[in-house]
Amino acid sequence: MREQSFVMLKPDAVKRRLAGEVLSRFEKRGLKIVAAKMMVISPELAKKHYAEHAEKPFFKDLVSYITSGPVLAMVIEGGDCISLIRKMVGATNPSEADMGTIRGDYAIETGRNMIHASDSTESAAREISLFFKDSEICQYTLPDEEIIYEEP
Ligand SMILES: Nc1ncnc2c1ncn2[C@@H]1O[C@H](COP(=O)(O)OP(=O)(O)O)[C@@H](O)[C@H]1O
Ligand SMILES: [Mg+2]
């Protein structure tokens, strides 16, 4: 099923100049970037985005991490892409993430794990609407969709 996921390169990924490298993995997989913007997240938006973790002991550090520099917020589209991107991202704790995943290849600590990706259709819809207006999401066809998908 064609889906959209909210994906965000966190400030450590941007500051380490790994944005292009990570973005390129999604492109090479055949996924479609339909929205992207660089921004410094406000504490208010960070708290809304991570509302499910409000009671966790790491919440304060998480908000200061995610607001500590620019992020690259994106909407990515593709077949079953929510679970597919979560697999590409790897386990929350990079030291437990498989090699070949983004966190497993580039990161070391949970508190600096480089990337966020939606974990369900419900959170994808919620997160996309927190960060993007409908008018900021582009609809277009990639010329190789008929090569990548059996039924484009
Ligand atoms: N124990 C922890 N210590 C510090 N930061 C954490 C911890 N657990 C989670 N985080 C941070 O909060 C983010 C959200 O947590 P969670 O939703 O559980 O992981 P994921 O990003 O893999 O969906 C993580 O990506 C990480 O940046
Ligand atoms: Mg999560």
Side-chain angles (χ1 to χ4, degrees), residues 49-50 52-53 86 92 103 116-119 123 127:
H49 174 66
Y50 281 125
E52 64 172 310
H53 298 301
R86 289 284 293 189
T92 304
R103 287 168 173 165
H116 167 86
S118 306
D119 63 7
S123 41
E127 294 165 0

Side-chain angles (χ1 to χ4, degrees), residues 14-27:
V14 173
K15 288 180 185 170
R16 291 173 61 198
R17 296 170 296 249
L18 289 170
E21 197 142 328
V22 174
L23 202 56
S24 160
R25 289 186 174 214
F26 296 124
E27 291 188 314

Side-chain angles (χ1 to χ4, degrees), residues 10 50 52-53 56 58 61-62 65-66 86 89-93 103 110-113 115-117 119:
K10 298 179 179 180
Y50 281 125
E52 64 172 310
H53 298 301
K56 307 271 172 64
F58 58 81
D61 288 342
L62 175 57
Y65 163 42
I66 215 71
R86 289 284 293 189
V89 163
T92 304
N93 182 346
R103 287 168 173 165
T110 305
R112 294 289 183 273
N113 63 2
I115 182 165
H116 167 86
D119 63 7

Side-chain angles (χ1 to χ4, degrees), residues 11-149:
D12 50 332
V14 173
K15 288 180 185 170
R16 291 173 61 198
R17 296 170 296 249
L18 289 170
E21 197 142 328
V22 174
L23 202 56
S24 160
R25 289 186 174 214
F26 296 124
E27 291 188 314
K28 286 176 189 159
R29 188 79 193 254
L31 297 172
K32 176 158 50 177
I33 320 273
V34 293
K37 68 176 153 195
M38 188 174 272
M39 60 193 285
V40 177
I41 302 183
S42 67
E44 293 69 34
L45 179 56
K47 285 174 193 162
K48 276 189 201 160
H49 174 66
Y50 281 125
E52 64 172 310
H53 298 301
E55 307 304 322
K56 307 271 172 64
F58 58 81
F59 186 66
K60 201 163 157 271
D61 288 342
L62 175 57
V63 171
S64 58
Y65 163 42
I66 215 71
T67 59
S68 66
V71 301
L72 183 63
M74 292 180 281
V75 180
I76 299 184
E77 192 177 284
D80 295 323
C81 79
I82 294 172
S83 67
L84 195 139
I85 292 171
R86 289 284 293 189
K87 282 185 201 140
M88 293 174 75
V89 163
T92 304
N93 182 346
S95 65
E96 289 164 8
D98 290 333
M99 297 285 299
T101 64
I102 294 160
R103 287 168 173 165
D105 286 351
Y106 300 115
I108 296 173
E109 294 188 338
T110 305
R112 294 289 183 273
N113 63 2
M114 281 192 48
I115 182 165
H116 167 86
S118 306
D119 63 7
S120 65
T121 48
E122 295 72 29
S123 41
R126 190 184 76 85
E127 294 165 0
I128 290 169
S129 68
L130 267 183
F131 283 83
F132 291 97
K133 299 183 206 127
D134 284 349
S135 62
E136 292 175 315
I137 301 173
C138 303
Q139 281 187 354
Y140 63 103
T141 306
L142 294 170
D144 56 2
E145 283 179 34
E146 58 188 46
I147 306 174
I148 290 168
Y149 295 102

